[in-house]
Amino acid sequence: MIKVTLKDGSMIDIEKGTLIIEVAKNISSGLAKKSVVAKLNGELVDLKSPIEEDSTLELVLLEDSESFEVLNHSCAHLLAQAMNRLYPGTKFGVGPAIEEGFYYDFKVPGVITAEDFPKIEAEMKKIVKENISVNHYFLSKDEAKAKFANDEFKCELIDAVEGTDLVGIYEQGDYADVCRGPHVISTGVLKNFKLLSVAGAYWRGDSKNEMLTRIYGTCYPTEESLNKHLNDLEERKKRDHRKLGKELGLFMISEFGPGLPFWLPKGYQLRRTLEDFWLDLHRKNGYVIVETPIMLSKQLWEISGHWDHYKEDMFITNADEEEYAIKPMNCPGAILVYKNDLHSYKDLPLRISELGHVHRYEASGALNGLFRVRTFTQDDAHILLTESQISDEIERIIKIYDQVYSKFGLNYHIELSTRPFDNFIGDIKVWDKAEEVLEKVCRATGKEFKINPGDGAFYGPKLDFKLRDSMNRIWQCGTIQLDFQLPGRFECTYIDENGEKKTPVMIHRACFGSIERFIAIITENYAGAFPTWLSPVQINLLPVLASVQGEYAHELKKEFENHGLRVKVDDRNEKLGYRLRESQMQKIPYTLVLGDNEVKDHTVTYRKYGTQAQITVTVDEFIKMIDEEIKNN
């Protein structure tokens, strides 16, 4: 007999080799039915896994957050089984769980569109009703390649398995897949799913490879949670920043410059307000502001390592018989700024910040409004400091991030992205030290984090700040990267307290990440109804009759503008109701109606966006009210 310690701390004795599902049934048949997978000694495993030694066991139930990824990974297999039945000759790429669902890549004999989804979903539902058992076993690589001999994609994945000759196989009836799992116990668990969209995707994300058909879907533990998510998706369509950007006159993208946004007057004002907020915050926190060239010599990018590690994503040109690259990052420029002067330990930390305009050669198929562009502005800072200053400085940065994200009503979690599995520079021991420092700082500040293996920059590990918006979506924005490599490559030095030359450490950090992307995020987060302090137009003045109250409207416009407010007058020859509705559609925070009484009493009647109430106050009272609102936001 062996001992199993359950989540509540109680212990039970079982026979060695007992399956987890049998243990669950012995505890409670109801509990077993609600279980999706289990944590055995902290590791997620199938319910059919045997327990071979004294262990800790925690059952993961349908309502637990950890079940979501397993449900969706399993539902990807459910989709693949349906495709295997409906489209003979289909070959199978990969089908992972993603943030809000899953996808699977197929090579299909024919064309799949969203019109085919009802047929595919019907077959998936049929397989769910069949309640087919999902079984896991291992084959040698040779055996696995023989089993999948007719699918070159699976054979390539089998060849890519490292460190073992054994390949995990998951099989459910007439379908099998190469997979590590874990998965649900049977297809009957996957009742609440929906296929969402179809797109093209290159095999293994490489544009040199074959284009496959990618089908996206999602699976939820209950019908209610699925319907809520589908309703959220419909709401997101209304909030699409590309749609709102056009309706509100924020930005445009021309066919003459794919991925190169044009900022229209109101969009530029929004961007300028955001940048002014950034500049003010950084000056108050001891940062110096610089601007570095947009294009620099190939030699610089060779020293930094970008030429070897990032060349394919850079725009390159020639001048004076020499190659130049338009910068994809700002860090080498910041290093040259540092090297322009001699520094002692008393100068450090030196916080060099820049709203740096960068360009990256993104694939045309990946471009997506302001989310994915070929030119953007990074709110970069590069901090040169001593090793002893690292922890305090990162804590200081996190406080700034807290201040910024709370300003926009955004929550976040942190991921520690560790050394890439390949394509990195520097000694592994230095990487280990850097990762340990980041982990300790997170713990010291009370910030929870999870490990994101292999996703660090090529020069150092990083803390990635994943923002959650009002629609429950996750966005990668802020980052703090700890770099022991580039300062040495550029021979950066400072004089320590003993008069000796030392190499500083560098922290790369960005809070918004990209001004363009951040504007897209907050546009959707606010559904275009920006808070008053940020709104491109804060006040819209509507004279009832332009010929009667127009002069008063323009007098108020001047008075408000002298007070630093952003104002427009809508005195078109249109009915007041029409202009009032349009002001609401433009999501302007305050619409002021001006009639005879307002002119006579020097008052305004305002209506705040999203409300029906119309309130009359004196001009001085209105200015005081709006000043307080802007100050407190």
Side-chain angles (χ1 to χ4, degrees):
M1 302 291 285
I2 57 175
K3 294 187 178 296
V4 174
T5 304
L6 303 178
K7 184 180 179 180
D8 62 3
S10 61
M11 297 180 66
I12 58 174
D13 294 322
I14 64 169
E15 291 188 12
K16 182 179 179 181
T18 301
L19 302 184
I20 292 174
I21 186 61
E22 296 303 324
V23 175
K25 288 177 181 177
N26 289 336
I27 297 172
S28 163
S29 60
L31 188 66
K33 290 178 181 178
K34 292 173 61 179
S35 299
V36 178
V37 285
K39 279 185 178 179
L40 186 63
N41 298 321
E43 181 182 353
L44 280 179
V45 296
D46 301 317
L47 293 176
K48 293 181 182 177
S49 300
I51 305 176
E52 301 289 355
E53 59 186 7
D54 291 350
S55 303
T56 60
L57 176 66
E58 179 182 342
L59 297 171
V60 177
L61 309 181
L62 270 171
E63 60 265 27
D64 293 337
S65 59
E66 289 168 303
S67 74
F68 186 78
E69 182 176 345
V70 177
L71 288 173
N72 279 276
H73 194 180
S74 298
C75 202
H77 284 212
L78 175 66
L79 167 61
Q81 185 173 13
M83 293 292 291
N84 191 47
R85 290 182 177 185
L86 293 172
Y87 303 96
T90 293
K91 296 183 180 180
F92 302 84
V94 293
I98 54 178
E99 185 68 42
E100 294 186 320
F102 65 88
Y103 69 77
Y104 210 115
D105 292 341
F106 304 100
K107 181 179 179 181
V108 188
V111 177
I112 299 294
T113 70
E115 294 178 355
D116 297 305
F117 286 178
K119 177 174 70 173
I120 300 171
E121 288 177 338
E123 189 64 33
M124 292 171 70
K125 290 175 182 177
K126 180 181 176 184
I127 296 169
V128 170
K129 286 184 178 180
E130 292 172 12
N131 196 27
I132 301 169
S133 178
V134 178
N135 298 306
H136 183 213
Y137 58 90
F138 290 92
L139 295 176
S140 70
K141 284 188 176 181
D142 287 343
E143 291 170 331
K145 289 177 74 171
K147 182 176 181 65
F148 296 97
N150 294 324
D151 193 327
E152 65 270 23
F153 303 117
K154 291 303 175 187
C155 288
E156 186 175 331
L157 292 175
I158 292 166
D159 284 333
V161 174
E162 296 181 349
T164 178
D165 185 52
L166 293 178
V167 178
I169 308 294
Y170 276 86
E171 194 165 77
Q172 50 197 63
D174 53 2
Y175 172 76
D177 208 338
V178 177
C179 190
R180 288 182 301 215
H183 284 284
V184 297
I185 196 167
S186 72
T187 60
V189 177
L190 307 170
K191 294 181 173 69
N192 306 293
F193 62 84
K194 183 69 178 174
L195 299 184
L196 300 174
S197 61
V198 61
Y202 292 110
W203 169 235
R204 306 197 83 172
D206 190 335
S207 60
K208 297 176 183 177
N209 289 338
E210 188 173 358
M211 177 73 78
L212 303 180
T213 298
R214 175 171 293 180
I215 298 178
Y216 288 92
T218 192
C219 182
Y220 274 78
T222 65
E223 184 178 2
E224 292 76 15
S225 57
L226 173 63
N227 288 336
K228 181 183 181 305
H229 178 67
L230 297 178
N231 289 334
D232 285 347
L233 293 181
E234 289 302 311
E235 178 64 22
R236 291 177 192 178
K237 291 178 184 177
K238 300 175 188 175
R239 293 173 177 241
D240 189 316
H241 77 281
R242 294 166 297 184
K243 174 177 175 288
L244 290 171
K246 184 175 182 179
E247 293 173 354
L248 302 179
L250 301 180
F251 71 95
M252 58 170 275
I253 296 177
S254 167
E255 61 185 13
F256 295 104
L260 307 173
F262 289 66
W263 290 100
L264 303 176
K266 289 200 289 186
Y268 178 78
Q269 179 60 68
L270 172 67
R271 176 192 175 110
R272 185 72 255 173
T273 304
L274 193 64
E275 290 177 347
D276 287 345
F277 164 74
W278 183 93
L279 287 165
D280 181 63
L281 179 66
H282 282 72
R283 287 179 177 130
K284 288 177 179 176
N285 279 276
Y287 287 78
V288 296
I289 315 298
V290 303
E291 182 174 327
T292 63
I294 198 170
M295 183 172 68
L296 292 162
S297 166
K298 168 187 174 182
Q299 295 176 5
L300 178 79
W301 304 109
E302 287 177 327
I303 296 171
S304 70
H306 288 92
W307 196 262
D308 291 332
H309 297 270
Y310 214 81
K311 181 181 177 183
E312 297 304 316
D313 296 309
M314 298 166 72
F315 289 98
I316 298 168
T317 188
N318 289 277
D320 299 328
E321 299 182 355
E322 185 177 349
E323 283 189 287
Y324 283 77
I326 300 175
K327 63 178 180 180
M329 280 105 171
N330 299 302
C331 26
I335 290 176
L336 295 184
V337 169
Y338 177 85
K339 285 174 64 69
N340 187 56
D341 289 312
L342 298 176
H343 300 281
S344 86
Y345 70 96
K346 295 180 181 179
D347 300 325
L348 306 183
L350 179 58
R351 306 177 182 99
I352 302 170
S353 58
E354 176 179 15
L355 292 170
H357 199 194
V358 301
H359 289 71
R360 296 180 185 175
Y361 183 39
E362 300 282 359
S364 58
L367 300 177
N368 178 14
L370 298 179
F371 284 144
R372 185 64 66 91
V373 291
R374 286 176 170 169
T375 179
F376 57 94
T377 300
Q378 271 191 321
D379 67 316
D380 258 340
H382 295 89
I383 303 165
L384 284 298
L385 69 172
T386 67
E387 282 193 42
S388 64
Q389 295 171 328
I390 292 174
S391 294
D392 287 344
E393 189 63 26
I394 294 178
E395 288 187 27
R396 181 188 180 99
I397 294 169
I398 291 175
K399 287 179 181 178
I400 293 175
Y401 285 13
D402 284 340
Q403 185 177 347
V404 172
Y405 297 146
S406 64
K407 178 90 172 174
F408 298 93
L410 298 167
N411 299 311
Y412 69 82
H413 71 268
I414 297 175
E415 293 185 5
L416 170 53
S417 297
T418 60
R419 185 184 74 251
F421 302 119
D422 52 25
N423 200 27
F424 65 89
I425 59 176
D427 185 86
I428 289 179
K429 290 182 180 178
V430 175
W431 275 85
D432 291 344
K433 178 172 68 173
E435 290 170 9
E436 183 180 355
V437 169
L438 293 179
E439 184 174 337
K440 284 183 177 178
V441 172
C442 285
R443 297 191 190 284
T445 56
K447 301 292 185 182
E448 294 185 2
F449 66 95
K450 67 177 183 178
I451 302 294
N452 185 12
D455 202 40
F458 70 85
Y459 47 75
K462 56 181 180 170
L463 298 178
D464 289 325
F465 289 73
K466 306 284 188 174
L467 305 188
R468 185 179 297 276
D469 68 10
S470 60
M471 297 302 297
N472 207 34
R473 290 171 298 182
I474 301 296
W475 304 101
Q476 164 64 57
C477 286
T479 185
I480 300 173
Q481 303 173 358
L482 185 52
D483 181 1
F484 284 83
Q485 313 298 336
L486 293 190
R489 291 171 76 99
F490 279 92
E491 299 180 343
C492 294
T493 61
Y494 69 93
I495 305 300
D496 71 6
E497 55 268 41
N498 299 316
E500 298 179 358
K501 280 188 176 182
K502 293 289 181 66
T503 300
V505 181
M506 185 159 73
I507 294 174
H508 310 240
R509 47 116 295 191
C511 184
F512 296 144
S514 150
I515 297 289
E516 287 74 7
R517 191 160 186 260
F518 195 78
I519 287 176
I521 291 169
I522 61 175
T523 297
E524 298 192 2
N525 188 52
Y526 292 126
F530 299 105
T532 303
W533 75 271
L534 186 60
S535 183
V537 178
Q538 296 167 321
I539 302 168
N540 192 13
L541 298 170
L542 304 185
V544 175
L545 291 173
S547 59
V548 180
Q549 296 91 19
E551 183 178 350
Y552 180 54
H554 284 279
E555 288 175 1
L556 285 180
K557 180 176 186 289
K558 186 175 181 180
E559 183 175 355
F560 290 150
E561 286 178 337
N562 288 339
H563 204 75
L565 299 172
R566 298 186 288 276
V567 192
K568 66 172 284 191
V569 174
D570 186 354
D571 53 4
R572 292 173 298 162
N573 188 26
E574 298 283 358
K575 291 182 178 180
L576 178 63
Y578 175 85
R579 286 179 286 147
L580 192 58
R581 284 192 299 274
E582 191 166 274
S583 188
Q584 294 294 295
M585 290 175 63
Q586 287 293 302
K587 305 177 188 289
I588 297 171
Y590 287 93
T591 302
L592 277 54
V593 176
L594 309 174
D596 288 340
N597 289 334
E598 283 76 18
V599 175
K600 178 170 63 75
D601 300 331
H602 197 63
T603 60
V604 296
T605 298
Y606 72 85
R607 177 176 170 181
K608 193 167 185 180
Y609 174 76
T611 68
Q612 296 297 320
Q614 298 193 50
I615 302 170
T616 301
V617 295
T618 67
V619 173
D620 288 342
E621 287 173 334
F622 178 77
I623 290 175
K624 182 179 180 181
M625 179 191 71
I626 200 169
D627 276 351
E628 284 295 315
E629 181 181 337
I630 291 171
K631 179 182 176 182
N632 293 327
N633 284 340

